[in-house]
Amino acid sequence: MAKATIILDPAFVVGKTDPRLFGSFVEHLGRCVYGGIFEPGHPTADSEGFRQDVLELVRELGVTIIRYPGGNFVSGYNWEDGVGPVDKRPRRRELAWFSTETNAFGTNEFMNWCVKAGMEPMMAVNLGTRGADEARALLEYCNVGSGTALSDLRHEHGHPDSHGVKLWCLGNEMDAPWQIGAKTAREYGTLARETAKLMRWLDPGIELVACGSSSRSMATFAEWERVVLEETFDVVEYISLHGYFSKHGNRSRDFMAEADWVGRYIDEIVAVADAVAARRRSPKRVMLSFDEWNVWYRTRDRATRTKPGWPEAPAILEELYTMEDALVFGAALLTLINRCDRVKVACVAQLVNVIGLIMTETGGRCWRQPIFYPFQHAAQWARGMVLDMRLTCGTFAAGDGEHFPDLVSAAVLAEDGRSLALFCVNRNFDQAIDTEINLRGLELGNFLESHVMRSDDLNATNTAEEPQRVRPEKGAAATAREGGWRLSVPAASWCVFRFECRPAKNAG
């Protein structure tokens, strides 16, 4: 059995997790909206066409915030097409995903769905084919109470109350050649600054996200962020990061290491943002919005991203996740938690069907993907203070021979200080890891519970016929030993261990 040591002390913390760290993403792409969250005529659909079976899983998942309506889709979207009487809404050829958009689901439907799901909306504006005035108009429609043309139009559409959207994305992946209306960093930065100016004049209480690089592999990476932040530093709270993890061939070790570049990516963007602040001699710190992230490789090539004939809601990008994928997903999630001092928003892309946490059959069943469970556990138990962990463990070699830790972990002290959650991903496929937890400044209480997700088959997945093939089960108890805990993290597993605790009487 391999061994690891974790040292924890509540006097040393990374920071407090923001609830928005546990977000997801809904885009007009494939069956995410139509046949996913919205399907009038489905046996479980309510009077507004929302699938109640999906809503139940979304509530169980614990998502706090949803980014909408894109994604690539937003850069060619006219928001006016999706409001007002449904039978008057235009059908459009949608150029991001080469589909027909019916516009049966739009802004007000999304807001109603967020209320029923119990989550905050995060809206994106079109800075591809449109600009500052259209963004201002959408904000007026959503947030102004009454007494203006667009707020009164919202009243006419049956929504007298302001939607009160606080968090807004200034476009999407504007550095990317695949983006409708792609721009240079200077072009985008100037447009984003002027858009932010109009939006803030209209509603000073909003928070804004500038577009960062669409991936760390872009040729303009880091320089894009520098230029954009030079233009927008004074008018935005966040800059975005997007990242997807891929497996190449049978290289499982390289795949496991994919999650580790998340931390490097974050550190690099923080360095750029703080350099821009330093040039201004400003104490302001731009925070990070990692508002697209997930495992994605099976359906990523262009041939599987579109269907001929401009279909409505085609089944595209429907990744079926495995136990192996869940290990990479879980390790990336823990990295985000361990960077919570700067990553304040994160959105798994996407929520349903399209590289989704949840899968559905149009007209039929829905079920949880393996990646559902790490997210659910974190959303439930990673609320509080993240401790600045010191971890010692074995390593594995990947890529060009670089070594990566077998164990990825995060420790979160609950907001009331009465319990501690320890999250672990064991990336050693062959051995369990005997882990010693050294607690300093905390008095031991009872061991509460553990949850373990593993499978003898790393390619195991969940389907409509076998919806619970990969799922967590109750794990073994940890044992108290010499002022700490000892526990076993099974080979190739995702685990959560929970303990009662309280500050030691002589701490501090």
Side-chain angles (χ1 to χ4, degrees):
M1 183 180 290
K3 295 186 179 297
T5 301
I6 292 173
I7 301 174
L8 300 171
D9 189 323
F12 301 100
V13 301
V14 176
K16 185 178 181 180
T17 55
D18 192 303
R20 288 171 171 171
L21 197 61
F22 309 105
S24 191
F25 178 31
V26 164
E27 181 177 1
H28 286 244
L29 193 179
R31 295 192 310 120
C32 186
V33 173
Y34 305 110
I37 66 173
F38 177 75
E39 191 180 343
H42 188 273
T44 71
D46 64 11
S47 60
E48 295 183 84
F50 304 145
R51 284 185 60 154
Q52 297 302 293
D53 58 347
V54 173
L55 266 174
E56 287 176 10
L57 289 186
V58 170
R59 295 187 190 108
E60 178 187 319
L61 185 60
V63 177
T64 55
I65 189 167
I66 289 283
R67 181 170 174 250
Y68 174 86
N72 296 350
F73 173 82
V74 75
S75 292
Y77 180 52
N78 299 328
W79 68 267
E80 302 93 335
D81 291 348
V83 298
V86 174
D87 61 356
K88 297 291 198 312
R89 298 181 190 178
R91 293 168 59 88
R92 304 278 190 199
R93 284 193 167 184
E94 198 281 298
L95 298 178
W97 302 107
F98 296 90
S99 305
T100 294
E101 174 56 52
T102 68
N103 285 302
F105 186 98
T107 299
N108 292 319
E109 287 80 14
F110 172 67
M111 298 299 174
N112 288 353
W113 183 84
C114 284
V115 170
K116 291 187 176 183
M119 64 184 67
E120 179 185 359
M122 177 183 183
M123 290 290 285
V125 298
N126 176 359
L127 294 187
T129 60
R130 309 191 84 182
D133 195 50
E134 290 83 5
R136 174 211 57 80
L138 177 58
L139 178 63
E140 180 182 324
Y141 181 87
C142 287
N143 281 17
V144 173
S146 62
T148 68
L150 291 172
S151 62
D152 290 346
L153 181 63
R154 188 189 69 244
H155 284 242
E156 291 177 24
H157 294 161
H159 295 269
D161 295 332
S162 163
H163 293 315
V165 181
K166 289 296 182 186
L167 189 57
W168 294 79
C169 300
L170 298 170
N172 174 76
E173 295 187 356
M174 299 309 301
D175 62 325
W178 58 81
Q179 200 69 206
I180 299 170
K183 294 170 173 60
T184 67
R186 191 68 64 188
E187 289 168 342
Y188 168 71
T190 302
L191 176 58
R193 184 192 66 230
E194 292 305 303
T195 302
K197 182 169 71 178
L198 265 64
M199 294 177 75
R200 285 202 183 283
W201 284 350
L202 183 66
D203 186 346
I206 60 174
E207 301 169 57
L208 297 173
V209 184
C211 285
S213 297
S214 52
S215 84
R216 188 171 178 254
S217 62
M218 298 297 289
T220 53
F221 170 69
E223 179 64 7
W224 171 275
E225 281 78 5
R226 183 192 68 78
V227 173
V228 167
L229 284 175
E230 289 286 1
E231 295 288 346
T232 64
F233 183 86
D234 296 322
V235 293
V236 302
E237 284 75 26
Y238 308 92
I239 189 158
S240 71
L241 298 80
H242 291 178
Y244 296 98
F245 321 121
S246 299
K247 183 179 181 181
H248 304 285
N250 295 318
R251 292 152 56 185
S252 290
R253 292 298 184 190
D254 289 358
F255 186 33
M256 289 299 112
E258 282 272 305
D260 290 66
W261 65 255
V262 174
R264 300 177 189 181
Y265 190 7
I266 291 167
D267 293 345
E268 289 158 356
I269 300 305
V270 166
V272 174
D274 290 353
V276 174
R279 284 170 58 85
R280 287 169 160 71
R281 296 166 180 80
S282 172
K284 176 179 176 178
R285 291 297 176 261
V286 173
M287 297 299 169
L288 275 55
S289 175
F290 214 129
D291 46 42
E292 284 189 33
W293 73 274
N294 205 341
V295 172
W296 179 24
Y297 58 96
R298 297 174 186 86
T299 62
R300 201 166 181 179
D301 64 280
R302 192 68 195 176
T304 62
R305 294 171 72 170
T306 59
K307 302 286 185 183
W310 303 93
E312 294 179 21
I316 56 176
L317 307 190
E318 298 199 357
E319 203 96 336
L320 295 179
Y321 290 110
T322 66
M323 180 66 221
E324 184 179 49
D325 296 331
L327 296 177
V328 176
F329 179 96
L333 176 58
L334 297 186
T335 303
L336 294 176
I337 291 169
N338 282 328
R339 296 297 200 285
C340 71
D341 55 331
R342 295 303 289 265
V343 181
K344 299 299 182 182
V345 183
C347 302
V348 176
Q350 294 187 16
L351 184 63
V352 185
N353 290 329
V354 176
I355 51 175
L357 296 150
I358 298 165
M359 291 298 294
T360 76
E361 295 173 325
T362 299
R365 299 163 288 184
C366 66
W367 62 97
R368 306 163 189 83
Q369 293 246 51
I371 62 172
F372 180 102
Y373 298 105
F375 186 99
Q376 179 195 27
H377 289 162
Q380 183 174 359
W381 292 312
R383 305 290 188 91
M385 298 302 298
V386 178
L387 302 187
D388 191 4
M389 173 185 297
R390 291 297 178 265
L391 168 64
T392 304
C393 66
T395 63
F396 65 92
D400 59 0
E402 183 178 357
H403 282 257
F404 299 88
D406 283 338
L407 190 67
V408 179
S409 188
V412 183
L413 188 63
E415 291 178 286
D416 63 7
R418 296 180 180 177
S419 64
L420 176 75
L422 180 70
F423 302 87
C424 297
V425 175
N426 183 354
R427 301 188 291 187
N428 187 319
F429 294 168
D430 304 314
Q431 296 185 73
I433 300 178
D434 181 25
T435 306
E436 182 178 335
I437 314 298
N438 186 330
L439 296 174
R440 300 176 180 177
L442 287 172
E443 287 191 0
L444 295 177
N446 295 320
F447 175 78
L448 296 175
E449 59 183 337
S450 70
H451 301 268
V452 176
M453 188 170 76
R454 63 174 302 277
S455 174
D456 292 333
D457 179 5
L458 286 177
N459 292 315
T461 190
N462 294 339
T463 64
E465 288 70 33
E466 291 186 279
Q468 297 190 58
R469 185 181 177 193
V470 181
R471 63 186 177 88
E473 296 180 345
K474 290 287 186 181
T479 57
R481 179 176 175 178
E482 298 176 0
W485 291 95
R486 172 159 279 176
L487 52 87
S488 179
V489 184
S493 68
W494 159 271
C495 299
V496 187
F497 303 90
R498 298 186 61 241
F499 311 85
E500 279 185 345
C501 63
R502 58 186 177 275
K505 293 177 182 178
N506 59 352

